[in-house]
Amino acid sequence: MKNLETFNWNDIRTSLERSLGKKDMQGWIEAIDLRMQKMRIELGDYESLPKIARIEQESGFLGIYTKGAQSARARQMLDDIVREVERSCESCGNAAQAQKIGSYIRTLCCHCYNRVLRDPLKENDGYGTRLYLDIAESYPDLVSDNCTSLRPAVGRGWLNSLDRCLQEMERAVFEADLPTGTVQVSDVKAKYGRISVGYHRHHECVDLAEAGLELDTSKTCAICGHFGDRRRGKGGAYPACDYCSSQKFDLSGGSTDGREARYSHPASLNNVPVPTGPELMTYHLGPLVTKIAAEFTDWHPITIIDQLLSHDPAEKGRNLVDLVRDKDEAALYRVLAALRR
């Protein structure tokens, strides 16, 4: 950010734009401008106004630096400005909080967060989150010896939180001086809008890490990873932010676990209807999955993909695509029975 040699109290907005920049900072500029206008009126005398050296956005937080001695009232008012503005979106002024986006920490609401992530001029990975996590590959000490692959069956918006939790679990086992294999994760999935971790073997030393994971994901969108904004459905917390919900989900009816959320299939530009998830499954995987595909009728496409690619420890780490490839009809019937339960 550029430093201000002199903050002009007679032209606050221009001074703020010079300091913070005009692009993507209008939410904060408008909020600070309004509060400083009130501050100027209340303090009255120009000599009573604080001498501001610079104003910066630093890692998602607002910094207002002064020079010289300031009155107690002026310092309090500046502190109030910082505290109030930091709870709003930098770009639009909506309610927000600081969070990591790509290589930066910014304070953005879910709508501006997704807009920035999808900016083609920025080098983003599309979601600002991990795209892939195999627990057996990254944390072999937290799975059984015969587990070669374990993919969590959750949206990738939760993968960063899960990765941090697994690191804490691994450290907790080490610090407790327990032998390798004391804690063995069997599966990770979304259940009733919350993340659920299953175990082959469990030890109380990882309970705190798991509790932190549940708390973290309870405030995180399972699709895009935006923190602090989750849609509220009829049955409780819905695992998507307002932006992702408005783009993909119809919250009327269905459960709140993201698996039965309804998806509106738009027509393409040539008015040819977009095929449904079950139709695509049957087309690409063949008639063996016809009955299984029917169970996915009201599922969201992202959840269908997760289900197809998630490795099932009960089937020797194979996913649904592997079962079709192996023509394992007995295993496919077990999957169908599990879906119908």
Side-chain angles (χ1 to χ4, degrees):
M1 299 295 178
K2 297 179 181 179
N3 292 343
L4 285 176
E5 295 181 358
T6 303
F7 184 88
N8 187 356
W9 280 97
N10 294 318
D11 193 358
I12 296 175
R13 190 176 188 87
T14 300
S15 297
L16 291 172
E17 290 177 347
R18 286 171 50 200
S19 181
L20 296 173
K22 294 182 179 180
K23 186 178 181 181
D24 292 334
M25 296 298 295
Q26 288 303 311
W28 276 15
I29 288 174
E30 291 179 2
I32 299 171
D33 183 22
L34 175 62
R35 288 164 175 79
M36 284 191 167
Q37 296 283 3
K38 294 180 179 179
M39 184 177 180
R40 184 178 63 177
I41 294 173
E42 180 173 335
L43 295 180
D45 184 10
Y46 182 80
E47 295 299 324
S48 301
L49 294 171
K51 307 300 185 293
I52 297 178
R54 67 184 190 275
I55 300 177
E56 295 180 349
Q57 188 266 37
E58 302 173 306
S59 300
F61 299 97
L62 176 64
I64 300 179
Y65 299 90
T66 60
K67 52 186 177 182
Q70 313 298 331
S71 67
R73 178 56 180 160
R75 288 197 301 270
Q76 180 185 351
M77 295 183 76
L78 288 177
D79 289 342
D80 290 342
I81 290 175
V82 171
R83 184 170 55 254
E84 293 172 9
V85 170
E86 285 181 345
R87 295 199 295 260
S88 64
C89 175
E90 302 170 6
S91 184
C92 71
N94 197 1
Q97 62 188 84
Q99 56 195 293
K100 187 175 182 181
I101 173 171
S103 303
Y104 302 94
I105 297 178
R106 299 189 60 183
T107 304
L108 297 170
C109 68
C110 63
H111 297 273
C112 296
Y113 173 89
N114 279 275
R115 175 177 54 79
V116 171
L117 288 176
R118 288 161 175 77
D119 188 344
L121 299 180
K122 298 182 182 295
E123 295 182 357
N124 297 309
D125 60 16
Y127 281 87
T129 63
R130 288 188 64 125
L131 301 180
Y132 174 86
L133 175 62
D134 190 320
I135 300 175
E137 179 181 311
S138 301
Y139 302 95
D141 292 341
L142 293 179
V143 298
S144 61
D145 293 337
N146 60 354
C147 180
T148 58
S149 180
L150 179 57
R151 296 283 305 279
V154 297
R156 65 180 183 178
W158 282 354
L159 293 185
N160 280 341
S161 298
L162 177 59
D163 188 43
R164 289 193 297 270
C165 173
L166 293 171
Q167 291 179 29
E168 293 178 13
M169 286 184 174
E170 199 170 51
R171 184 166 58 250
V173 172
F174 175 78
E175 292 176 351
D177 198 22
L178 298 172
T180 301
T182 301
V183 175
Q184 294 182 358
V185 177
S186 61
D187 69 319
V188 180
K189 58 186 178 182
K191 187 175 182 180
Y192 305 118
R194 303 180 67 86
I195 197 166
S196 174
V197 181
Y199 298 92
H200 283 306
R201 294 181 181 176
H202 177 266
H203 191 275
E204 61 183 8
C205 70
V206 300
D207 287 348
L208 192 60
E210 185 179 352
L213 172 65
E214 292 178 357
L215 178 62
D216 195 17
T217 54
S218 70
K219 303 176 183 178
T220 304
C221 174
I223 299 173
C224 73
H226 183 268
F227 182 79
D229 177 32
R230 282 186 58 173
R231 192 72 171 264
R232 296 288 166 177
K234 293 181 179 179
Y238 195 77
C241 67
D242 185 65
Y243 175 87
C244 293
S245 298
S246 64
Q247 293 295 307
K248 299 294 183 183
F249 294 100
D250 174 13
L251 297 183
S252 59
S255 71
T256 60
D257 63 358
R259 296 174 58 179
E260 297 179 9
R262 299 185 180 278
Y263 179 73
S264 57
H265 300 281
S268 60
L269 294 177
N270 59 1
N271 292 323
V272 177
V274 177
T276 64
E279 289 172 345
L280 288 173
M281 284 181 61
T282 305
Y283 176 79
H284 288 287
L285 299 180
L288 280 176
V289 298
T290 302
K291 293 182 179 180
I292 293 177
E295 299 297 320
F296 293 128
T297 300
D298 292 331
W299 288 34
H300 187 276
I302 293 178
T303 313
I304 294 177
I305 294 173
D306 282 340
Q307 187 72 20
L308 287 173
L309 301 180
S310 297
H311 297 270
D312 188 352
E315 302 298 342
K316 300 180 180 179
R318 295 179 296 172
N319 58 30
L320 190 56
V321 177
D322 295 330
L323 299 181
V324 174
R325 180 199 60 199
D326 297 341
K327 297 182 180 180
D328 192 339
E329 295 188 22
L332 290 171
Y333 276 117
R334 287 194 292 270
V335 172
L336 179 61
L339 290 171
R340 288 177 172 175
R341 281 202 294 266

